[in-house]
Amino acid sequence: MARKPAVAMMRIAIAGAGGLAALLAQELSNSAHAVLILSRRPHPEFEANYDCQVAVVDYNNLETLQFFLHGVDLVISTISGVEQLNLIDAARLARVRTFVPSEFEGALGHRPAPGSDPFDHDSSTALGQLRHWSSSRSYPMKYTVFSCGIFYERFAPGGLRAYNMGATDRIPNQGDYLIDVGAGTAELPATNAQGRPIMVTLTSATDVARFVAAAIELGIDNWPREYKMRGARITPQRIQHFCTEFQITNRPYTEVIAWLDYYRHNNDQERWYQMQHLLQTADGRYSFGEANLNDAVDVEPIGFRQWLYDNWGPAQ
């Protein structure tokens, strides 16, 4: 017997065809909803594996985007920058009911002010655009951000890049963020600016897709402005404790600031961005306590220790 949906069938568009988009498509293929993938290139594997339609689009052509979005109830974006800004405009013109921007890592209230965020990539502009359209008198388009902290996959063999994720991320490779499990090395922020311990919230990308799919079954009309989910919440040092025989460098907060200045003056962008993530972690960008989506849906996320074992084996 076919699974009866909790809500009426909707048309859902997923912008992008990377790893997270594929996970979302896979989860939604088990639902009664019609799924449309928007991509710059053909992806027959999506149609074959997930029983969804693929539309090849030019994100700089609003008229074409608007055409493909007619009749769509929900847009989930996994793209960023100017392309996402155009997508938001097209969704509004096509009278899409709800938009989910590509804002998964971190939490809205823990980000630097606009203009001072090194990882913004037009994020603040997109959120401002969505706030504007959500308050429109003629046709308000709602939006909801799904926040997951940090993807587990940053600690996987090959990092985010191995999952076809993080294409616009400055640190997509294994070992770019805090810990290189394979090399047995870790560079961690010791404390925050006040000398207190640091916490990090983490969720696997697979579970992010499961959480989003479960939220859709609740109905999109009453979604809050932000849904937070988590698989684990631990200190960076605790992440390292799950592994063995690590060479660890703990950076005091003042030392992180000093290294940032050093790498900027020496034009070492790779190390500057890595150190920026240490600073953002120390400042609490990737930490939150309450996870309202965990409480709202029946999804049991995988714990970080088990995920680490599944991806690296018992030697770690």
Side-chain angles (χ1 to χ4, degrees):
M1 181 180 293
R3 185 164 69 94
K4 184 179 179 180
V7 295
M9 188 189 82
M10 294 185 295
R11 239 187 134 210
I12 301 171
I14 301 172
L20 182 56
L23 290 171
L24 288 164
Q26 181 179 10
E27 281 299 320
L28 291 172
S29 69
N30 298 318
S31 73
H33 306 298
V35 177
L36 170 68
I37 302 296
L38 304 177
S39 174
R40 290 184 298 267
R41 296 181 298 277
H43 283 277
E45 73 278 8
F46 274 78
E47 296 175 331
N49 296 333
Y50 310 129
D51 190 28
C52 59
Q53 180 185 357
V54 177
V56 177
V57 298
D58 177 0
Y59 285 104
N60 294 314
N61 188 325
L62 261 65
E63 186 177 350
T64 301
L65 283 174
Q66 183 183 349
F67 171 80
F68 282 114
L69 291 176
H70 273 303
V72 168
D73 299 285
L74 171 66
V75 171
I76 304 173
S77 173
T78 67
I79 62 176
S80 59
V82 175
E83 291 182 337
Q84 178 168 237
L85 299 180
N86 292 338
L87 181 68
I88 292 169
D89 283 339
R92 168 67 171 80
L93 292 170
R95 298 193 167 229
V96 168
R97 289 160 56 194
T98 303
F99 194 101
V100 174
S102 183
E103 300 288 337
F104 296 94
E105 288 195 307
L108 286 180
H110 298 179
R111 300 183 186 186
S116 61
D117 185 355
F119 305 113
D120 184 273
H121 202 54
D122 288 323
S123 171
S124 58
T125 303
L127 291 171
Q129 203 171 346
L130 288 167
R131 281 192 297 269
H132 173 74
W133 289 127
S134 68
S135 60
S136 169
R137 290 185 178 181
S138 59
Y139 189 83
M141 181 175 70
K142 297 180 180 180
Y143 74 96
T144 292
V145 171
F146 284 82
S147 300
C148 71
I150 284 288
F151 289 120
Y152 284 178
E153 285 72 15
R154 287 195 178 275
F155 306 101
L160 288 180
R161 192 183 297 277
Y163 291 80
N164 195 20
M165 294 169 60
T168 59
D169 195 301
R170 295 284 187 165
I171 54 169
N173 299 310
Q174 175 184 323
D176 280 348
Y177 180 68
L178 298 183
I179 291 170
D180 187 334
V181 178
T185 59
E187 186 175 25
L188 310 174
T191 62
N192 64 14
Q194 292 75 40
R196 299 191 185 102
I198 299 161
M199 301 297 291
V200 181
T201 300
L202 311 99
T203 316
S204 78
T206 300
D207 284 335
V208 169
R210 293 173 62 215
F211 273 117
V212 173
I216 289 170
E217 295 308 312
L218 297 176
I220 66 175
D221 291 330
N222 296 314
W223 279 359
R225 184 53 47 87
E226 182 176 19
Y227 262 135
K228 296 178 183 178
M229 69 198 87
R230 70 163 179 257
R233 186 170 182 260
I234 52 182
T235 66
Q237 287 72 21
R238 184 63 176 163
I239 297 174
Q240 175 269 319
H241 287 161
F242 289 145
C243 310
T244 58
E245 298 182 4
F246 260 64
Q247 180 180 344
I248 307 166
T249 302
N250 282 294
R251 301 277 188 203
Y253 192 88
T254 53
E255 188 177 309
V256 172
I257 299 294
W259 277 113
L260 275 170
D261 188 59
Y262 174 83
Y263 292 131
R264 182 177 67 251
H265 282 299
N266 285 274
N267 199 30
D268 188 339
Q269 289 197 0
E270 181 178 354
R271 285 295 290 151
W272 187 85
Y273 277 107
Q274 289 174 353
M275 200 59 62
Q276 269 290 350
H277 264 291
L278 262 67
L279 178 65
Q280 299 292 322
T281 301
D283 285 343
R285 180 180 186 134
Y286 308 114
S287 177
F288 51 83
E290 177 196 8
N292 56 343
L293 188 49
N294 286 61
D295 297 333
V297 298
D298 187 21
V299 172
E300 187 64 37
I302 188 171
F304 185 70
R305 183 193 291 270
Q306 183 61 52
W307 178 90
L308 200 68
Y309 180 92
D310 290 346
N311 282 271
W312 287 96
Q316 303 303 328

